[in-house]
Amino acid sequence: MGSLPLEAMMPLDPETFAGESGAVVGFLADYYRNVDKYPVMANPEPGSIRKLLPDAAPELGESMDRILDDVQRDILPGLTHWQSPSFFAYFPANASSAGFAGEMLSAGLNVVPFVWTASPVATELEQVVVDWMASLLGLPERFHFKGGGGGVLHGSTCEAVVCTLAAARDRALSKLGHEGILKLVVYASDQTHATFQKGASIVGIPPANFRILRTSAESGYGLTADTVQRAVEEDVARGLVPLYLCATIGTTGLGAIDRVRELGHVARRYGTWLHIDAAYAGSAAICPEFQGNLDGAELADSVSMNPHKWLLTNMDCCCLWVANPTTMTDALSTDPEYLRNVGGASKMTTDTIDYKDWQIALSRRFRAIKLWVVLRRYGTAGMRAHIRRHIRMAEWFERVVAADERFEVVVPRSFSLVCFRLRPRFMEDKAVESLNRELLVAVNASGRAFMTHFVVDGKFVIRLAVGGSMTEMRHVRGAWELIKEKANELLAGC
Amino acid sequence: MGSLPLEAMMPLDPETFAGESGAVVGFLADYYRNVDKYPVMANPEPGSIRKLLPDAAPELGESMDRILDDVQRDILPGLTHWQSPSFFAYFPANASSAGFAGEMLSAGLNVVPFVWTASPVATELEQVVVDWMASLLGLPERFHFKGGGGGVLHGSTCEAVVCTLAAARDRALSKLGHEGILKLVVYASDQTHATFQKGASIVGIPPANFRILRTSAESGYGLTADTVQRAVEEDVARGLVPLYLCATIGTTGLGAIDRVRELGHVARRYGTWLHIDAAYAGSAAICPEFQGNLDGAELADSVSMNPHKWLLTNMDCCCLWVANPTTMTDALSTDPEYLRNVGGASKMTTDTIDYKDWQIALSRRFRAIKLWVVLRRYGTAGMRAHIRRHIRMAEWFERVVAADERFEVVVPRSFSLVCFRLRPRFMEDKAVESLNRELLVAVNASGRAFMTHFVVDGKFVIRLAVGGSMTEMRHVRGAWELIKEKANELLAGC
């Protein structure tokens, strides 16, 4: 595996491919064996890796062995280890053997299924797996291809939001004319992911027309129909057009749940597009006991969730379903000469779709094979077990936090996310905030776990999001021991 | 590798991972050994794979062996084989051993480097490789991080276009107010990729404000400064604002080249954002003899090209450089509480960037490690040899087509793309068009090669795009033999 003679360069020679890929598999298996030995959150001096590497790409090729040695020495120590069993930050990003196998098939076959002809089975497999996923989540028939809707695999929720916003916008502008863009208003809660506001900005909604509606502890920080109704009425009275409402199942900060059915009734009344963002918690909906959160989904225009978070599917994979695909393809279609199908066109049916018209980009990866391998390898039963296992761990963690009088659970747990803080009785609010900041810094600096935070009603809360592929009960127990240890040290100094 | 007992499910168990991943490596090596035995372009009955697969995901997990058997039996025959050495359609999508190794590392480490803290070395490695690439292409200092600009890895050119359009738009609207969006005009040629118009539509530019400027054979279908100047003057006279001009190096239809320097002068005069889309031909610019096409790039605001096309980098990878990153981050930044860095913030420098503010989505893959592995494994010399090898093959093909009096090269070859047609002297124009359609259908239906077409000045031309990782001279020769064989059959029937 030394440097290559230039003229003989055969970049897909099967023997070289097998040898070098095998070496990477071994490298990664070893990484998984040892991932819990690295500090979970990396904290290098900024710029240190840039100082370490040369200014230019090498003139001559180097061996894969040498490159892997450098990954080991220079790269691994500077990564934050999302696959560590003690990674409890943000939301999980599950890797799995099946997700990896699917990703390898996607990357190895390396087809680009932007139109049906460019890889027919890749397009059709995607239609099959998004229908499978829709069934698994218990989504209404109208989001299935067989029910007149349909789904697509994107890379991220933001892309799903941009595409559906563009669809809703163009549907509205077809009646209002383009100058109507200044009247379009979008609605979300103060718990909705920042991605939504960014998406609205990307599609040209005036910043003055983003409504960020207040939520409160009474509704568990879920958006209520009353709040939306009032905001919409005010806007309509001012001659504005209520375009799009984003409801979230399992917000990023707290795991809050917007009530889809009641929001759906308001949206229907005003012809407002209702999107359900279930990026994180949508995975839980494969278990019947969590499908109630999607009650009323038949009132929505679109739904999205990310198997790349908590459903064993390596980055990236976001399912988006729409009830009326034509609305989306009207906004996103192109038909350049160089992509037209010559010869096969007569065979096309209304079932034959070109996924380039369901997304932002023209090019796309064969993500469907990845999700298909995951669903087949683990089966519905295996995936439900995966979700329930983490929920049980989070339940346990919530229980022990609640039982320790120095701590409090700040909002009731949803799914596998626990939001808590250290709350010594004797301490003032201001001091409590800095105490928890210090606690989080100490926990993360230990290298033994990584958690992130949120601020709600002025309270600084620590988030423990369970869901790693390798996270077992002992790691959650370890996190609790670590938190208590650091809390003790801090309280001893008070 | 049978079905998994649910309670013991360990989706990243290192031994299972190594075993199953090894099986996929073997499967793919075998695929490469045999890829030239499949019809290059698949042409199944629409819906056939959907009929073949069950209606729902299985309840119980299945073995990886069984899944791979199904890929072999049900999936491979329905794919269009982009890695076939006789794939000459669209533009190439290079897979390589190094690109695959890099993709495995990205998928296996599965970190999500949206902010610096979320994986410091992943962010910094990206800064290093985009600077390496900028040097390789001979881009002006202003697009390097060390020159005050900087780059990012996106998934597609369309994303690069959307982000830079949003940047240009918001820079303009900060002066005009949001109602100014109705005055913004974007410019491209009739050869520019459809993706540009789609991008402009996504960011809310009024469809009436897309200017599609005519090109002609005299300029090799490149956009001229005069044409742009006239269009811009007319718009300015009508009170409109010339926002954004897209120049292309190597258009999709014909490989045409817009002259950057002269377009740059016009753009500068009107404060218009100039983007250079070198999606395909940017790869050639790693060879000094092709860098002249980028002459005048210092007048541009942004440049993009796709290593996932012709530079040995498996899908997906698009380099975008901007001269003034603040313009882009002003348009795309978000700062939600749950992503703030607690504790480490004091270490941040102006060098520390959060790539979420350079792209559409929040989440992102560790693409940098893929491009870094490719650059190191093959070296600058290896990659130049890869490009030049294909250029030589295309030169040969152009020569033999030109030498056969029944054929004509419709536009002079650029890079590795040859646009030609069958042109028997005795035949009328209308008949020539259908003759070439039939020729293309016959060539593709043979399964021995796959080409696509374009229409220019009413002429139906066949495109032969050389660039596959496994394409050797014998495959290009075989394509020419195939074309002559099918042409003979068609002409015999005339």
Side-chain angles (χ1 to χ4, degrees), chain A residues 11 20 32 43 47 49 62 70 82 97 107-108 117-118 124 169 198 201-202 337 356 359 376-377 453, chain B residues 11 20 32 47 49 62 70 80 82 97 108 118 124 169 198 201-202 314 337 347 356 359 376-377 453:
Chain A
E20 298 189 353
Y32 297 141
N43 201 14
I49 183 76
E62 301 173 72
D70 289 355
W82 286 65
S97 295
T117 318
E124 298 193 6
R169 180 198 66 187
K198 179 166 171 174
S201 160
I202 285 173
E337 186 63 49
K356 72 178 173 58
Q359 61 175 25
R376 289 197 55 189
R377 181 73 190 93
H453 76 286
Chain B
E20 298 190 352
Y32 297 140
I49 183 77
E62 300 172 72
D70 289 355
T80 291
W82 287 65
S97 295
E124 298 193 6
R169 180 198 65 188
K198 179 165 171 174
S201 159
I202 286 173
N314 298 49
E337 186 63 49
K347 293 167 71 175
K356 71 178 175 56
Q359 62 174 26
R376 290 197 56 187
R377 182 73 190 91
H453 76 286

Side-chain angles (χ1 to χ4, degrees), chain B residues 226-366:
Chain B
D226 285 355
T227 312
V228 178
Q229 173 81 29
R230 266 196 309 277
V232 169
E233 274 174 11
E234 259 178 50
D235 285 323
V236 170
R238 293 164 59 203
L240 299 176
V241 177
L243 182 72
Y244 189 108
L245 167 62
C246 182
T248 308
I249 312 288
T251 61
T252 305
L254 303 170
I257 299 166
D258 296 336
R259 275 153 206 81
V260 170
R261 180 168 299 284
E262 54 177 89
L263 298 183
H265 287 303
V266 182
R268 277 285 169 98
R269 204 168 304 140
Y270 295 93
T272 302
W273 185 292
L274 176 64
H275 179 73
I276 303 175
D277 170 7
Y280 152 65
S283 294
I286 67 167
C287 304
E289 66 271 29
F290 294 110
Q291 289 182 356
N293 295 308
L294 287 164
D295 174 58
E298 71 277 11
L299 300 170
D301 295 282
S302 49
V303 185
S304 61
M305 57 81 63
N306 296 348
H308 71 218
K309 283 196 168 66
W310 192 14
L311 221 50
L312 298 165
T313 307
N314 298 49
M315 286 286 298
D316 50 4
C317 186
C318 166
C319 298
L320 167 67
W321 296 272
V322 289
N324 184 351
T326 311
T327 322
M328 196 158 70
T329 55
D330 280 353
L332 301 173
S333 285
T334 53
D335 182 29
E337 186 63 49
Y338 43 78
L339 296 180
R340 286 197 189 133
N341 181 3
V342 173
S346 59
K347 293 167 71 175
M348 299 295 133
T349 70
T350 48
D351 274 358
T352 313
I353 63 173
D354 291 337
Y355 267 125
K356 71 178 175 56
D357 300 333
W358 294 57
Q359 62 174 26
I360 295 173
L362 168 63
S363 63
R364 63 202 317 269
R365 304 194 307 130
F366 186 9

